[in-house]
Amino acid sequence: MDRKLDFLKQLAHGLAAQFGSSCEVVIHDLTKKDLDKSIVYIENGHVSNRHTGDGPSGIVLETLRSDPAKIKDKLAYLTKTDDGRILKSSTLYIRDEKGKIVYIFSMNYDITTLLAAENSIRGLIQTEPENGAETDRSSAPQRITHNVTELLDLLIEQAIARVGKPVAMMNKDDKVAVVQYLNNAGAFLITKSGDKVSSLLGISKFTLYSYMDKG
């Protein structure tokens, strides 16, 4: 296993050197018991302001929650940093001899300045959209988090936004939808997340578990 990690570190260093300081390369170790310190190696961490020993991203929880046989590499998607910079990201899943995912190898390239240049050019060449077509939001960049606390807050924010109403106005079905979203996203893999979600929704832990089972 150490030999595999050594190779990934060598590859990360080479890619960072090849593509320069705008290219962040991150290795998450899924064999670690301490989920909050999943990053075991990072090159050009200034891109997302993360460091070795920082916690997982949403993609890590998604991986732990999913069937390994169904997980495929995720390439060329958008993420964003806390200060609003846009990154072009790719995530590779590294498996052991039994097919279990043991490492996540991610590349995040800061394309903010390239997008600014693209927008300037687009302003000169674009035409009016036909029939008032709306912008597709399905490819909106995902925010990069630094620790499990930030990640849980982000997932809760997404779950509430998906329901479309504040917690104070939610009925039982709305709260079930929130819990199901969080469960599917792997939020309850985070220590004490159940306590926080129960308190937020004004339900007991027993009720929380029953909502999780409804999926």
Side-chain angles (χ1 to χ4, degrees):
M1 192 69 67
D2 290 342
R3 185 175 299 177
K4 190 186 297 288
L5 180 57
D6 286 342
F7 169 74
L8 292 176
K9 290 179 179 180
Q10 180 183 1
L11 181 61
H13 181 68
L15 287 170
Q18 174 71 19
F19 294 106
S21 61
S22 292
C23 182
E24 175 187 78
V25 189
V26 187
I27 302 173
H28 291 275
D29 185 351
L30 302 193
T31 68
K32 293 175 65 68
K33 293 183 179 180
D34 190 351
L35 183 64
D36 197 24
K37 298 181 180 179
S38 64
I39 295 180
V40 293
Y41 189 81
I42 188 167
E43 289 274 355
N44 293 327
H46 61 271
V47 171
S48 65
N49 196 28
R50 290 182 295 175
H51 309 84
T52 299
D54 278 352
S57 59
I59 203 77
V60 173
L61 288 189
E62 180 182 329
T63 302
L64 292 172
R65 186 71 175 80
S66 303
D67 179 356
K70 297 180 180 179
I71 295 177
K72 297 181 179 180
D73 293 343
K74 189 175 181 181
L75 306 176
Y77 61 98
L78 296 180
T79 55
K80 66 178 179 180
T81 62
D82 289 340
D83 57 5
R85 285 176 293 119
I86 304 299
L87 314 178
K88 182 178 181 180
S89 301
S90 288
T91 299
L92 307 178
Y93 299 98
I94 312 302
R95 303 170 188 267
D96 63 13
E97 292 74 12
K98 297 181 180 179
K100 180 181 178 181
I101 297 173
V102 289
Y103 298 109
I104 293 180
F105 188 91
S106 297
M107 296 167 283
N108 305 301
Y109 194 91
D110 187 348
I111 61 171
T112 308
T113 55
L114 297 175
L115 288 175
E118 179 189 36
N119 288 336
S120 296
I121 296 173
R122 185 185 295 120
L124 296 174
I125 64 175
Q126 71 180 5
T127 57
E128 290 295 321
E130 295 182 5
N131 301 323
E134 295 183 0
T135 302
D136 180 12
R137 297 182 181 180
S138 62
S139 59
Q142 304 170 4
R143 192 165 80 232
I144 290 176
T145 54
H146 300 77
N147 53 61
V148 290
T149 301
E150 286 185 10
L151 178 54
L152 179 58
D153 288 343
L154 175 60
L155 292 174
I156 291 173
E157 177 185 315
Q158 292 173 345
I160 293 174
R162 189 180 183 88
V163 170
K165 63 177 73 170
V167 174
M169 298 180 63
M170 289 184 184
N171 57 31
K172 178 182 176 180
D173 289 341
D174 296 328
K175 293 180 180 181
V176 169
V178 169
V179 172
Q180 286 295 307
Y181 179 89
L182 293 174
N183 191 36
N184 292 335
F188 297 116
L189 294 171
I190 298 174
T191 304
K192 295 185 178 180
S193 56
D195 293 334
K196 183 168 186 175
V197 174
S198 297
S199 177
L200 174 69
L201 297 180
I203 59 177
S204 67
K205 289 288 287 295
F206 177 81
T207 300
L208 176 72
Y209 295 140
S210 71
Y211 286 1
M212 291 168 65
D213 290 339
K214 288 182 180 294

